[in-house]
Amino acid sequence: MDQKIISLAAEKTADRLQEFLQSLKDNDLANLLQNQAVKGKAAGALLRAIFKGSPCSEEAGALRRLKIYICGIHLVESGDLQKEVASEIIGLLMLEAHNFPGPLLVELAKEFVGAIEEGSLTTGKSLELLPIILTALVANKENLAYGKGVLSGEECKKQLINTLCSGRWDRQYVIQLTSMFKDVPLTAEEVEFVMEKVLRMFSKLNLQEIPPLVYQLLVLSSKGSRRRALEGIITFFSELDKQHNEEQSGDELLDLVTVPSGELRHVEGTVILHIVFAIKLDSELGRELLKHLKAGQDFSNNICPFSIALLLSVTRIQRYEEQVFDLLKASVVKSFKDLQLLQGSKFLQNLVTQRSCVSTMILEVVKNSVHSWDHVTQGLVEFGFILMDSYGPKKILDGKTIETSSSLSKIPNQHACKLGANILLETFKIHEMIRQEILEQVLNRVVTRASSPISHYLDLLSSIIMYAPLVLQSCSSKVTETFDYLSFLPLQTVQGLLKAVQPLLKVSMSVRDSLILVLRKAMFASQLDARKSAVAGFLLLLKNFKVLGSLSSSQCSQSIGVSQVHVDVHSRYNSVANETFCLEIIDSLRRCLGQQADVRLMLYEGFYDVLRRNSQLANSIMQTLLSQLKQFYEPEPDVLPPLKLEACILTQGDRISLQEPLDYLLCCVQHCLVWYKSRVMPLQQEEEEEEGFYQDLEDMLESVTSRMIKSELEDFELDKSADFSQNSGVGIKNNICASLVMGICEVLIEYNFSISNFSKNKFEEVLSLFMCYKKLSDILNEKAGKGKAKTANKMDSFLSMKFVSDLLTALFRDSTQSHEESLSVLRSSNEFMRYAVSVALQKVQQLKETGHVSGPDGQNPEKIFQNLCDITRVLLWRYTSIPTSVEDLGKKEKGKSISLLCLEGLQKIFSAVQQFYQPKIHHFLRALDVTDNEGEEAEGSVSHRAAFQIRQFQRCLLNLLSSQEEDFDSKEALLLVTVLSNLSRLLEPSSPQFVQMLSWTLKICKENSWEDASFCKGLMNLLFSLHVLYKSPVTLLRDLSQDIHGHLGDIDQDIEVEKTNHFAMVNLRTAAPTVCLLVLSQAEKVLEEVDWLITKLKGQVSQEILSEEASSQATLPNHPVEKAIIMQLGTLLTFFHELVQTALPSGSCVDILLKDLCKMYTILTALVRYYLQVCQSSGGILKNMEKLVKLSGSHLTPLCYSFISYIQNKSQSLTCTGEKKGKAPAVATAMARVLRETKPIPNLIFAIEQYEKFLIHLSKKSKVNLMQHMKLSTSRDFKIKGNILDVVLREDEDDNEGTASEHEGQNKEPAKKKRKKEMKCLS
């Protein structure tokens, strides 16, 4: 039969074929086609023949055609056919689709939709036909019956797509269906509909099916809805990540983790590649991505690890690179700023939940990138460097950058820089491929940015090398290349760099050798800095290459994270080699002793550390020092002075300079000697013959001590009559000599005390040496007092920090019976005790400024911390047990009392500990507790211990406040407040101790009325800093403003203001400017917080409008935030209401008040605009908002205008007084002042009018009359009164021309406004 049909089809006309087909039953025909197709015979030819014999012009033919078409679809779908046959049939069916009449096309489409909904598709191959059918349907111009109505082809297609997207889709056809839609002509609305359906299907698919689906979705997005597609994909993966993290951090025993981590990351990586590829082809998609992520920076689901990884991949497309990095940078800094704002305000913490920080997300991306996300790593590295470059420490004066490590004082920029370093370090650890590049970039920056601070790069380099010195051997060529630049780099950089690469020197012989070559060259360079660098480098090598038999010291070598390094060190260079190597270096260093003072000084400072770490080098080092000291020592026991000071000074023509820093040499000798005596000597009883140098040095120091005591100042030619001016050669020489003598005295004080073993004679010698020091110091101070700068105070003390702590402990806390007599010698001198405390102060100040102290162990944070604890303990005991009042009664001496010095020291130490030792605060507070019952003491929390210390200082402050007026020392009071502020930062804001501290401070402010501005300012600052962490300070501000108003009086002099005495601290003396400026700055902070909240709310509303699901419920969750904002603004309004009526003195108070009022109105306007947005998305305004508007209309705006008049009248009277005095300069300054004070007025008026303008808009939108309480400003309305004008003009003519023209030039801008005001005031 099939043959017959095919042969009939070959005829020219189709009539016989039609007749034959007519005679057959449709089912037979269908079966025939099915058999042929399954057998794989000429099914295509048969199908062609059937279609030829079933023309659409006849009804029967059309129906037969439909039947066969559907049969063909089922055949293809059944999966029983061979591939070629199926493809042929599909091809034929595609060609035939356009010949169908409209109603049959609808039938066919419905057949497809039905099959998809029922899930009866088997292979999904026939879906290729649906786009053709739908396209044909759109092209069909006739009206078609669909459902119960009649629709055009376009509308039919819309209905069909609607039905299709509303029904359920079988999982396995989602990709094919999505792919199919790209060939269907769709309107924007339909694209969105399809998009939503596909995005809803994401969660139902297996993870492996997502990437191909995303690919199809992106292809589809070229028809429209790009943003929705991206948003959907990002949200899906963001949720998936969240789930995954929860599962992983959840119960370890549950093995039900739905997706293994690796698989999820691989899928995410593939999806990111698809999106980046799509963006390359379709730039609109890239723009939409950036728009979407910029718009939603405030919302956690937009910026998530997935979207950050996506952005970093997009940076590989050049056109977007800069935009993306800017966006990421902005996000990071914004996130840190928000965090800072949140941490500093309890009010915000109660309203806003803390979101995860962008920085943690970025570090998560680094962690995830291990799953072959090569396309992300390049972006990560670039971004890390961008953050470090943009937010690294900036240059501060004198080239010093002060780095702090406390989390409170770190501003967002420092956090961002730290994040950059973390990104690079973590990336370095994970990706081997990119290590070389990171190292290269860091080293390049170290070398090329020598002039700007690069401590952050050196820290990063150090971390990288510490992480894996062995790994870096492969990149060692880059490091050796950097060494070539050593002699051109500043000393600080060289020291940092060598410290960082030190672990590498221990593993790589070649790196070490090349460094030594470079250092040897630098030793003879012409630049002084290069020679200093060489010394620094050699000293570092000496410290770190241990010689066999050296004492082990806990600080011997920087520990290195990789255990192989230690193995490597000992196998590669045995200690004998180390010894020859070290002795060779010492030889090189000996040559430095003939160079400039700076170079020698470095050497002396470094020798002690070398000796401590490498005790086997003691012989050669001590011999070197001995021979150097002999050059300047007078061996005859009767010759005074015992040292040749002349030889230390170099005179070249007019220039006089220090040649040998003898004080440093002596200091080095004494430290080395004492250490040698205590640590090495006890272990070497048998080898007596070696100790020649030791005995010599000891005898020399003994002799120098006794002869220094005998020497008078005249022996040094430094008595009172000597010339100390800095302009003459003799003066400079005398200054140098004096500082040498003072330094030598200090060194000998320390030496004699440390070997004294509490003998009375030694202590008498110590005191005599101190008297010599004191005399010189007094002369220098006296002479410098006559000049301009004080030189004596600039010198660093030679006493080591350890010694200072021992000395203070002995002076103040040593109660051992046997020491009593000898210590009384030192204790009898108040001057000496004061000197000991002031040196401690100097050391702490040095620590605060530079992060380390001078002298041995000055670079070792552990030792410094230990000494700090000891010093603090002593100072604390001394201050609390002997108050200043008691001490002052005894002797009225010039200078500060010892107790006050102790308090100053405590204040400096508390701030330094918080700056540098934040993690060790608990140990610090424990060390201060004198009660030594360790068991129970270990329990107390930081808050507990801090509260204990706080109570001691509170008692001191109360005693001071209860003293007589003339005994009140405002300096001490201020120091106590600063100490309390420092300690209160250690209290946990949620702890009862914090609340106690706050209520105590409040009580003090309410009950004490000392008229001391600086004390008041300190106490008020403390009050506010505590209050913001407990709750918002607006009520406090309102009370204070009432007090200020009461004390200063009203702008209308006829009104008597009743005095509210909330805070005794506010009185006539302190109300303005002190308290007034303080409350204004606090109000400004509150306004900033409110502004931040409003911006947040606006962002949420615009997101809801965008996502178009904004039902009326969508705005409900914001109600508590809105209420809080309105409450804050309401209370601030009453605060400004008081201040605007206060007769403030002209100057900064008025100035800042006007600016803050302007801010207040700007923020009110922002709130009104937010409600405009809410009304647009069918929300309403709160009742409280109406009250706030009413309050602003009745209590603020009218008063602002009268305040403006008050200021202008005041400024007129000012200029008048200036004119009466008749002096041109007086007039000029008065005018300048008027100009400055009236400048903010136009801004304020503009802000008020903007506020009223938007209120009118809101009234229309919300159908609530908000303007009924607003009295529109009359300030602009004025009429000209002729008689007054004549008087004014006549006065003007009487004035001389000069003043008038000066007026004219200076006051052009506000002239018009002021005249208007004048008229109003006069009317």
Side-chain angles (χ1 to χ4, degrees):
M1 189 158 62
D2 52 324
Q3 291 304 325
K4 185 170 182 189
I5 295 174
I6 291 168
S7 62
L8 284 172
E11 293 176 9
K12 276 185 181 166
T13 58
D15 299 345
R16 284 174 62 196
L17 178 60
Q18 279 180 22
E19 279 168 30
F20 181 66
L21 290 176
Q22 205 80 41
S23 64
L24 294 173
K25 286 183 183 163
D26 283 349
N27 287 351
D28 297 346
L29 206 53
N31 291 337
L32 177 69
L33 180 61
Q34 194 171 343
N35 293 335
Q36 293 295 79
V38 173
K39 284 178 192 160
K41 288 191 182 161
L46 178 61
L47 196 55
R48 251 189 234 101
I50 296 173
F51 281 141
K52 189 177 179 185
S54 315
C56 292
S57 47
E58 298 168 14
E59 197 179 338
L63 286 172
R64 186 180 327 119
R65 179 181 273 262
L66 178 65
K67 259 292 185 10
I68 291 300
Y69 202 98
I70 291 173
C71 171
I73 290 173
H74 287 320
L75 266 176
V76 173
E77 208 41 65
S78 67
D80 300 338
L81 308 187
Q82 294 165 4
K83 221 173 183 180
E84 298 79 25
V85 180
S87 298
E88 190 181 8
I89 292 178
I90 288 269
L92 279 170
L93 295 180
M94 278 182 179
L95 291 173
E96 288 300 328
H98 287 281
N99 302 331
F100 276 101
L104 295 185
L105 283 171
V106 174
E107 283 301 313
L108 273 175
K110 278 185 177 169
E111 174 78 23
F112 265 110
V113 173
I116 293 167
E117 282 186 347
E118 289 160 18
S120 58
L121 298 175
T122 323
T123 61
K125 189 130 177 70
S126 60
L127 284 177
E128 291 175 32
L129 294 170
L130 187 53
I132 311 286
I133 294 166
L134 289 174
T135 312
L137 191 59
V138 175
N140 199 311
K141 292 291 175 267
E142 56 190 302
N143 282 346
L144 308 166
Y146 185 90
K148 290 179 181 170
V150 175
L151 303 173
S152 69
E154 181 66 48
E155 286 164 341
C156 278
K157 175 203 67 170
K158 189 174 180 178
Q159 283 294 333
L160 284 162
I161 288 176
N162 223 329
T163 318
L164 184 57
C165 292
S166 315
R168 58 177 289 280
W169 290 5
D170 201 313
R171 269 180 36 182
Q172 62 199 67
Y173 304 121
V174 177
I175 295 170
Q176 279 164 300
L177 282 165
T178 312
S179 159
M180 172 208 87
F181 275 113
K182 70 173 185 281
D183 302 323
V184 180
L186 298 171
T187 62
E189 195 184 339
E190 289 163 356
V191 173
E192 199 165 322
F193 209 67
V194 173
M195 200 71 87
E196 290 297 340
K197 172 68 181 173
V198 177
L199 289 172
R200 281 200 301 275
M201 293 304 297
F202 266 40
S203 52
K204 299 190 172 67
L205 295 185
N206 284 337
L207 205 52
Q208 294 302 338
E209 296 171 310
I210 301 284
L213 178 58
V214 166
Y215 178 77
Q216 296 300 344
L217 191 64
L218 291 168
V219 174
L220 179 63
S221 74
S222 59
K223 290 176 177 283
S225 287
R226 292 177 176 82
R227 187 161 179 174
R228 183 66 198 102
L230 289 168
E231 192 183 337
I233 294 168
I234 290 172
T235 312
F236 171 72
F237 279 109
S238 166
E239 290 302 316
L240 207 59
D241 275 345
K242 256 190 226 154
Q243 259 173 323
H244 186 70
N245 289 346
E246 279 162 20
E247 281 169 4
Q248 284 197 320
S249 61
D251 196 340
E252 294 299 318
L253 301 173
L254 289 178
D255 290 329
L256 296 174
V257 179
T258 41
V259 183
S261 193
E263 187 184 349
L264 174 61
R265 302 295 165 226
H266 280 299
V267 166
E268 287 182 341
T270 315
V271 168
I272 289 173
L273 280 176
H274 281 325
I275 298 177
V276 174
F277 182 63
I279 289 176
K280 278 181 186 163
L281 300 176
D282 176 9
S283 59
E284 188 57 39
L285 194 65
R287 280 198 287 279
E288 286 297 336
L289 174 69
L290 288 173
K291 252 192 233 163
H292 169 63
L293 292 175
K294 263 181 200 157
Q297 274 181 341
D298 266 339
F299 303 94
S300 45
N301 35 356
N302 276 10
I303 296 262
C304 58
F306 177 78
S307 60
I308 291 172
L310 173 58
L311 280 174
L312 288 168
S313 295
V314 173
T315 55
R316 296 170 74 187
I317 306 170
Q318 204 179 356
R319 134 174 22 147
Y320 298 110
E321 186 175 15
E322 204 175 317
Q323 295 175 37
V324 170
F325 282 136
D326 287 348
L327 170 65
L328 283 170
K329 243 168 61 175
S331 294
V332 165
V333 174
K334 184 178 182 308
S335 145
F336 283 132
K337 278 186 179 156
D338 289 355
L339 198 66
Q340 198 183 25
L341 200 62
L342 269 174
Q343 280 173 348
S345 160
K346 185 70 178 163
F347 165 68
L348 289 180
Q349 287 166 20
N350 292 338
L351 289 173
V352 181
T353 50
Q354 208 163 327
R355 279 186 32 225
S356 59
C357 185
V358 175
S359 57
T360 40
M361 294 182 194
I362 294 177
L363 290 172
E364 206 172 303
V365 172
V366 178
K367 200 173 73 197
N368 295 343
S369 69
V370 72
H371 301 282
S372 60
W373 285 10
D374 300 341
H375 43 96
V376 179
T377 40
Q378 194 55 47
L380 272 172
V381 172
E382 269 180 67
F383 185 52
F385 279 114
I386 285 175
L387 285 179
M388 287 187 82
D389 293 346
S390 315
Y391 301 113
K394 297 286 174 268
K395 198 160 193 173
I396 297 175
L397 287 176
D398 309 334
K400 268 187 193 167
T401 52
I402 301 171
E403 283 292 299
T404 59
S405 55
S406 96
S407 59
L408 271 174
S409 60
K410 262 197 175 176
I411 44 176
N413 286 3
Q414 284 166 306
H415 279 312
C417 174
K418 188 87 194 77
L419 172 66
N422 282 343
I423 291 173
L424 291 170
L425 179 60
E426 295 304 313
T427 312
F428 183 89
K429 289 179 183 177
I430 293 175
H431 298 283
E432 273 181 45
M433 298 294 293
I434 216 153
R435 282 177 184 170
Q436 181 102 14
E437 188 191 336
I438 292 178
L439 186 70
E440 243 172 71
Q441 294 236 39
V442 173
L443 288 170
N444 286 346
R445 282 168 168 76
V446 168
V447 172
T448 55
R449 304 199 176 173
S451 55
S452 51
I454 49 165
S455 52
H456 51 308
Y457 290 116
L458 290 172
D459 291 343
L460 174 62
L461 182 64
S462 177
S463 311
I464 283 177
I465 294 177
M466 287 281 283
Y467 169 69
L470 293 177
V471 171
L472 281 183
Q473 273 184 285
S474 53
C475 319
S476 58
S477 59
K478 189 68 203 165
V479 180
T480 48
E481 199 180 304
T482 313
F483 288 158
D484 296 341
Y485 302 101
L486 278 189
S487 48
F488 307 108
L489 295 177
L491 181 63
Q492 236 180 340
T493 305
V494 173
Q495 284 174 315
L497 179 63
L498 292 179
K499 222 180 208 158
V501 299
Q502 175 225 318
L504 197 55
L505 301 177
K506 293 195 169 184
V507 260
S508 167
M509 197 77 167
S510 59
V511 175
R512 192 184 83 178
D513 293 345
S514 59
L515 174 63
I516 289 172
L517 279 175
V518 169
L519 291 178
R520 278 198 184 137
K521 258 189 231 163
M523 202 68 147
F524 302 103
S526 52
Q527 306 91 343
L528 178 64
D529 252 9
R531 296 201 294 279
K532 283 163 92 173
S533 298
V535 173
F538 277 139
L539 285 170
L540 193 88
L541 287 171
L542 282 179
K543 271 184 232 172
N544 288 304
F545 284 87
K546 294 209 65 174
V547 179
L548 192 66
S550 288
L551 295 174
S552 67
S553 137
S554 53
Q555 288 81 27
C556 266
S557 65
Q558 203 172 346
S559 60
I560 298 174
V562 183
S563 54
Q564 306 135 286
V565 175
H566 298 297
V567 179
D568 217 52
V569 172
H570 296 301
S571 58
R572 189 78 60 83
Y573 331 116
N574 52 24
S575 302
V576 181
N578 270 354
E579 186 162 12
T580 30
F581 164 68
C582 288
L583 292 174
E584 211 175 291
I585 290 179
I586 289 182
D587 252 6
S588 300
L589 287 176
R590 278 202 190 108
R591 295 180 196 148
C592 294
L593 293 173
Q595 296 197 3
Q596 280 95 329
D598 281 2
V599 182
R600 301 182 191 191
L601 191 146
M602 278 196 71
L603 205 54
Y604 300 149
E605 283 186 328
F607 266 158
Y608 171 71
D609 272 350
V610 172
L611 190 64
R612 228 184 64 243
R613 294 180 175 206
N614 233 339
S615 57
Q616 283 300 76
L617 300 175
N619 247 346
S620 43
I621 287 180
M622 300 291 250
Q623 291 290 4
T624 309
L625 291 174
L626 179 62
S627 59
Q628 187 70 3
L629 185 55
K630 276 183 177 163
Q631 297 174 31
F632 305 95
Y633 174 70
E634 291 281 9
E636 294 299 319
D638 304 332
V639 178
L640 295 182
L643 297 162
K644 306 173 189 166
L645 294 184
E646 294 290 324
C648 299
I649 292 168
L650 178 71
T651 312
Q652 294 170 312
D654 296 343
R655 280 190 61 236
I656 293 174
S657 58
L658 181 66
Q659 168 82 7
E660 169 68 42
L662 187 57
D663 40 7
Y664 279 94
L665 170 60
L666 214 59
C667 184
C668 178
V669 167
Q670 84 91 0
H671 282 306
C672 291
L673 197 57
V674 172
W675 184 83
Y676 190 78
K677 192 176 172 183
S678 63
R679 299 294 301 274
V680 185
M681 293 282 287
L683 305 173
Q684 292 189 332
Q685 285 93 10
E686 58 283 355
E687 305 167 24
E688 282 305 315
E689 71 282 356
E690 269 191 24
E691 259 57 274
F693 70 81
Y694 167 71
Q695 207 46 56
D696 286 355
L697 282 171
E698 206 166 36
D699 294 346
M700 280 165 90
L701 284 178
E702 194 57 51
S703 162
V704 170
T705 302
S706 57
R707 286 192 276 165
M708 281 295 281
I709 293 168
K710 289 178 196 157
S711 305
E712 291 297 323
L713 289 183
E714 286 78 5
D715 296 329
F716 299 108
E717 300 171 10
L718 291 174
D719 54 358
K720 281 198 170 178
S721 57
D723 171 18
F724 285 102
S725 68
Q726 293 286 356
N727 330 348
S728 67
V730 181
I732 291 175
K733 182 180 157 194
N734 284 344
N735 267 314
I736 293 175
C737 280
S739 68
L740 281 177
V741 173
M742 284 166 71
I744 290 163
C745 287
E746 285 200 307
V747 171
L748 293 172
I749 288 173
E750 177 164 352
Y751 174 69
N752 284 298
F753 187 93
S754 52
I755 62 164
S756 66
N757 203 1
F758 292 92
S759 92
K760 190 172 181 182
N761 296 348
K762 278 288 174 208
F763 281 178
E764 279 165 354
E765 285 181 1
V766 166
L767 204 54
S768 311
L769 286 165
F770 170 68
M771 291 326 290
C772 170
Y773 171 87
K774 179 88 181 69
K775 277 182 214 159
L776 255 181
S777 157
D778 288 347
I779 291 174
L780 281 180
N781 275 340
E782 194 181 314
K783 302 272 182 185
K786 291 173 190 167
K788 281 184 185 166
K790 281 200 172 185
T791 47
N793 292 352
K794 284 184 182 169
M795 272 178 50
D796 272 342
S797 168
F798 278 90
L799 305 185
S800 64
M801 192 145 175
K802 174 86 180 88
F803 170 68
V804 173
S805 109
D806 292 346
L807 178 62
L808 287 173
T809 311
L811 287 176
F812 297 133
R813 299 289 283 142
D814 192 333
S815 50
T816 317
Q817 205 60 47
S818 54
H819 299 169
E820 193 66 40
E821 188 189 356
S822 49
L823 278 171
S824 62
V825 175
L826 296 178
R827 288 174 179 162
S828 64
S829 160
N830 231 2
E831 289 291 347
F832 183 69
M833 299 208 285
R834 174 180 300 160
Y835 160 73
V837 179
S838 59
V839 173
L841 244 76
Q842 193 191 30
K843 293 283 176 196
V844 180
Q845 186 60 33
Q846 199 182 17
L847 174 68
K848 279 182 68 174
E849 285 170 7
T850 60
H852 49 80
V853 293
S854 54
D857 284 327
Q859 304 274 356
N860 182 338
E862 284 303 313
K863 289 271 174 74
I864 295 178
F865 179 69
Q866 205 39 60
N867 295 333
L868 268 184
C869 292
D870 298 341
I871 291 174
T872 316
R873 220 181 4 244
V874 177
L875 296 185
L876 190 59
W877 179 85
R878 175 69 174 71
Y879 177 71
T880 46
S881 54
I882 309 178
T884 27
S885 47
V886 178
E887 190 178 352
D888 289 346
L889 292 177
K891 320 178 183 64
K892 285 279 179 201
E893 296 165 342
K894 63 178 199 266
K896 296 175 186 168
S897 65
I898 295 182
S899 283
L900 195 57
L901 280 174
C902 288
L903 181 60
E904 206 174 309
L906 288 167
Q907 184 263 313
K908 285 187 160 73
I909 290 172
F910 287 138
S911 79
V913 170
Q914 286 184 35
Q915 194 177 341
F916 295 104
Y917 296 103
Q918 191 73 26
K920 303 178 80 165
I921 286 214
H922 194 253
H923 299 292
F924 175 70
L925 291 173
R926 247 174 77 184
L928 299 193
D929 262 2
V930 194
T931 43
D932 279 330
N933 31 354
E934 274 301 301
E936 56 194 78
E937 283 304 316
E939 294 307 306
S941 65
V942 171
S943 290
H944 259 100
R945 292 179 186 282
F948 174 72
Q949 301 303 339
I950 285 173
R951 282 195 293 279
Q952 297 200 52
F953 290 107
Q954 283 175 339
R955 275 196 292 277
C956 299
L957 184 58
L958 285 173
N959 291 339
L960 190 64
L961 291 172
S962 57
S963 60
Q964 295 302 312
E965 183 107 18
E966 62 274 8
D967 291 340
F968 179 72
D969 180 351
S970 81
K971 189 146 200 177
E972 184 177 359
L974 190 58
L975 275 171
L976 278 167
V977 171
T978 318
V979 168
L980 286 169
S981 304
N982 278 330
L983 285 171
S984 65
R985 287 194 201 119
L986 304 178
L987 297 174
E988 186 54 50
S990 54
S991 64
Q993 290 90 348
F994 183 86
V995 182
Q996 278 166 0
M997 174 75 191
L998 175 60
S999 50
W1000 180 86
T1001 314
L1002 255 172
K1003 189 166 177 267
I1004 294 283
C1005 291
K1006 285 185 171 175
E1007 293 171 8
N1008 284 287
S1009 56
W1010 288 106
E1011 296 187 345
D1012 185 285
S1014 60
F1015 171 60
C1016 170
K1017 186 177 178 181
L1019 200 57
M1020 283 289 175
N1021 267 327
L1022 170 61
L1023 176 62
F1024 280 120
S1025 67
L1026 293 168
H1027 207 286
V1028 289
L1029 295 174
Y1030 180 64
K1031 62 176 185 189
S1032 176
V1034 279
T1035 45
L1036 210 61
L1037 291 174
R1038 186 186 58 206
D1039 292 350
L1040 282 163
S1041 66
Q1042 288 171 358
D1043 287 355
I1044 295 172
H1045 190 185
H1047 283 290
L1048 296 180
D1050 200 275
I1051 49 177
D1052 184 347
Q1053 287 154 359
D1054 307 337
I1055 294 177
E1056 181 71 33
V1057 186
E1058 61 163 316
K1059 287 193 177 181
T1060 56
N1061 210 350
H1062 296 294
F1063 289 90
M1065 240 329 142
V1066 184
N1067 47 45
L1068 254 180
R1069 188 85 174 277
T1070 58
T1074 311
V1075 178
C1076 182
L1077 289 177
L1078 263 174
V1079 290
L1080 283 171
S1081 79
Q1082 283 301 324
E1084 208 168 320
K1085 282 180 189 157
V1086 175
L1087 284 172
E1088 265 169 34
E1089 289 172 7
V1090 171
D1091 192 22
W1092 184 79
L1093 278 174
I1094 294 176
T1095 315
K1096 220 170 171 50
L1097 288 183
K1098 276 185 179 168
Q1100 280 172 350
V1101 172
S1102 56
Q1103 282 293 97
E1104 282 155 8
I1105 292 173
L1106 265 178
S1107 55
E1108 284 197 344
E1109 291 142 345
S1111 59
S1112 54
Q1113 279 80 36
T1115 47
L1116 278 179
N1118 293 337
H1119 274 191
V1121 181
E1122 288 175 25
K1123 272 187 183 150
I1125 289 174
I1126 292 167
M1127 288 302 293
Q1128 291 291 85
L1129 288 175
T1131 319
L1132 274 183
L1133 221 143
T1134 53
F1135 159 79
F1136 283 123
H1137 164 76
E1138 291 290 340
L1139 284 187
V1140 168
Q1141 297 177 75
T1142 308
L1144 292 171
S1146 48
S1148 51
C1149 289
V1150 172
D1151 224 21
I1152 291 175
L1153 176 58
L1154 287 172
K1155 281 179 188 155
D1156 283 359
L1157 280 168
C1158 190
K1159 212 171 204 165
M1160 175 78 182
Y1161 276 107
T1162 314
I1163 284 168
L1164 281 169
T1165 312
L1167 186 60
V1168 170
R1169 295 176 76 165
Y1170 161 70
Y1171 275 113
L1172 275 169
Q1173 255 181 319
V1174 172
C1175 290
Q1176 205 174 332
S1177 66
S1178 71
I1181 56 176
L1182 294 176
K1183 271 275 174 275
N1184 288 18
M1185 178 65 185
E1186 292 176 40
K1187 285 182 192 163
L1188 179 69
V1189 173
K1190 180 180 176 181
L1191 197 66
S1192 70
S1194 59
H1195 276 58
L1196 194 57
T1197 311
L1199 294 175
C1200 281
Y1201 283 119
S1202 40
F1203 186 62
I1204 290 171
S1205 309
Y1206 163 75
I1207 296 168
Q1208 294 191 322
N1209 288 342
K1210 210 168 171 183
S1211 51
Q1212 276 156 19
S1213 64
L1214 248 175
T1215 41
C1216 294
T1217 50
E1219 282 168 22
K1220 275 177 195 159
K1221 286 177 189 166
K1223 290 177 188 167
V1227 175
T1229 50
M1231 290 308 295
R1233 191 166 167 188
V1234 168
L1235 249 177
R1236 192 182 67 245
E1237 286 193 354
T1238 50
K1239 214 172 190 173
I1241 292 176
N1243 297 342
L1244 174 58
I1245 291 176
F1246 175 70
I1248 295 176
E1249 291 181 349
Q1250 279 295 93
Y1251 170 55
E1252 289 170 354
K1253 171 181 139 186
F1254 281 103
L1255 268 181
I1256 295 170
H1257 284 316
L1258 184 59
S1259 298
K1260 287 176 186 166
K1261 268 271 167 63
S1262 64
K1263 313 281 191 293
V1264 178
N1265 182 9
L1266 296 168
M1267 292 303 290
Q1268 59 187 358
H1269 312 293
M1270 288 287 165
K1271 201 164 94 188
L1272 281 178
S1273 47
T1274 51
S1275 194
R1276 299 287 176 92
D1277 312 334
F1278 65 95
K1279 59 184 176 193
I1280 296 173
K1281 293 190 174 178
N1283 50 353
I1284 294 174
L1285 190 62
D1286 286 343
V1287 177
V1288 175
L1289 287 172
R1290 230 173 284 133
E1291 274 177 13
D1292 276 5
E1293 281 161 18
D1294 293 347
D1295 281 352
N1296 63 39
E1297 292 298 313
T1299 331
S1301 62
E1302 194 166 49
H1303 250 124
E1304 193 59 33
Q1306 277 201 325
N1307 205 4
K1308 268 184 187 156
E1309 188 256 338
K1312 196 164 70 185
K1313 177 156 271 119
K1314 211 158 42 185
R1315 183 53 46 82
K1316 293 176 189 175
K1317 293 283 183 217
E1318 209 169 278
M1319 294 310 167
K1320 181 187 177 231
C1321 300
L1322 293 170
S1323 53

